[in-house]
Amino acid sequence: MIDLLYVVLIAPFADFAFMQRALFGSLLLSLGACPVGVFLMLRRMSLSGDAMAHGILPGAAAGFLFFGLEILPMTIGGLIAGAIVALGAGAVSRFTVQREDASMAAFYLISLALGVLLVSMRGSSVDLMHVLFGTVLALDNEALALIGGIVAVTLVVLFVFWRALVAECLDPLFLRSVSRLGTPAHFIFLGLVVLNLVGGFQALGTLLSVGLMMLPAASARFWTSRVEPMCVLAVLIGFASCLSGLLLSYHAALPSGPAIILSAGVVYFVSIMFGTRGALRARAIRHRHRIA
């Protein structure tokens, strides 16, 4: 039994360096992206996060067009493109009659089409799949250093601006009336979203990077209503999803990125049913009230 557990759970990481790097990189991503996902969810900006994830594609594709699959040019390009999409959509919603969700959707569609076009100009279908879905098993030391730097910046910013970010989630108008941090906190938060999406792009691609950000956060929402425990629980769910997804991809010969996101999806559906704030608990409470 012990030998079987070793072969199933430990041997893939003990025997292969690429599995160790994949696990370390994905755990780092969870540590930074999952708390950001909690704030995205509380702000009711979950789909905006998905739009910004696609928004980094043209910049990453431009870096690929000129330098190939080099991390630094693609990262810089992704940061620039993500910032343009976030600021552009915000400016359109602020200075026109269009709401931010509609402007974000427009920028997202344009960005996705432009990014695919740029990749197709130089690369093959394999390169396009790499950009769209990532290659977590191909993370090297340079990519891990980049992800580690993004996570460090994220944690420091969250620590420094925690109260302002929480207050803006609950009542942004009140925060702006009592503090000058209202507007800066919003743009700082958007910067964190873009940073973590760029970090996730290295491992999961533009189409799946937002999944590791949002699914653990959405799952944690069914277990607690307090922000601090929700962030901690989201990180733990992210850790479990990465570990189980990598093991599933190894033993079943499945793509690693989708396996990680599907593992997070399983936790999400379990949380819907069995969470302390999930469907079965709510139904039981309503049943007791009827009896009373």
Side-chain angles (χ1 to χ4, degrees), residues 43 86-87 90-91 94 165 168 176 181-193:
R43 289 165 176 255
L87 295 175
R94 185 177 294 270
L165 292 173
E168 204 204 4
R176 291 170 188 170
L181 289 176
T183 300
H186 180 70
F187 287 104
I188 288 171
F189 175 71
L190 289 180
L192 288 182
V193 174

Side-chain angles (χ1 to χ4, degrees), residues 47-92:
L47 291 178
S48 298
D50 185 54
M52 282 189 281
H54 294 81
I56 70 175
L57 182 55
F64 168 77
L65 186 64
F66 291 104
F67 299 97
L69 293 172
E70 294 289 335
I71 290 178
L72 189 58
M74 295 178 70
T75 299
I76 294 174
L79 284 172
I80 295 173
I84 291 174
V85 168
L87 295 175
V92 170

Side-chain angles (χ1 to χ4, degrees), residues 175-277:
L175 177 63
R176 291 170 188 170
S177 66
V178 300
S179 173
R180 295 179 180 178
L181 289 176
T183 300
H186 180 70
F187 287 104
I188 288 171
F189 175 71
L190 289 180
L192 288 182
V193 174
V194 172
L195 266 179
N196 282 274
L197 289 174
V198 169
F201 158 78
Q202 303 295 335
L204 301 172
T206 58
L207 294 185
L208 295 178
S209 59
V210 72
L212 189 59
M213 183 178 288
M214 293 310 309
L215 282 172
S219 301
R221 189 73 173 89
F222 289 106
W223 296 95
T224 180
S225 58
R226 296 180 56 201
V227 179
E228 294 90 343
M230 198 182 303
C231 289
V232 173
L233 183 56
V235 170
L236 295 178
I237 293 173
F239 284 177
S241 301
C242 292
L243 178 60
S244 58
L246 287 172
L247 288 172
L248 179 63
S249 70
Y250 177 83
H251 292 294
L254 297 174
S256 52
I260 290 173
I261 303 307
L262 284 176
S263 297
V266 170
V267 178
Y268 174 71
F269 285 113
V270 170
S271 300
I272 289 176
M273 297 304 299
F274 302 105
T276 55
R277 308 176 76 243

Side-chain angles (χ1 to χ4, degrees), residues 67-116:
F67 299 97
L69 293 172
E70 294 289 335
I71 290 178
L72 189 58
M74 295 178 70
T75 299
I76 294 174
L79 284 172
I80 295 173
I84 291 174
V85 168
L87 295 175
V92 170
S93 64
R94 185 177 294 270
F95 297 112
T96 69
V97 297
Q98 193 170 65
R99 295 181 60 181
E100 188 171 16
D101 59 340
S103 60
M104 190 72 75
F107 275 81
Y108 140 64
L109 292 170
I110 295 169
S111 299
L112 180 61
L114 180 59
V116 171

Side-chain angles (χ1 to χ4, degrees), residues 109-127:
L109 292 170
I110 295 169
S111 299
L112 180 61
L114 180 59
V116 171
L117 181 65
L118 288 174
V119 174
S120 301
M121 289 175 62
R122 172 174 173 175
S124 63
S125 59
V126 175
D127 295 320

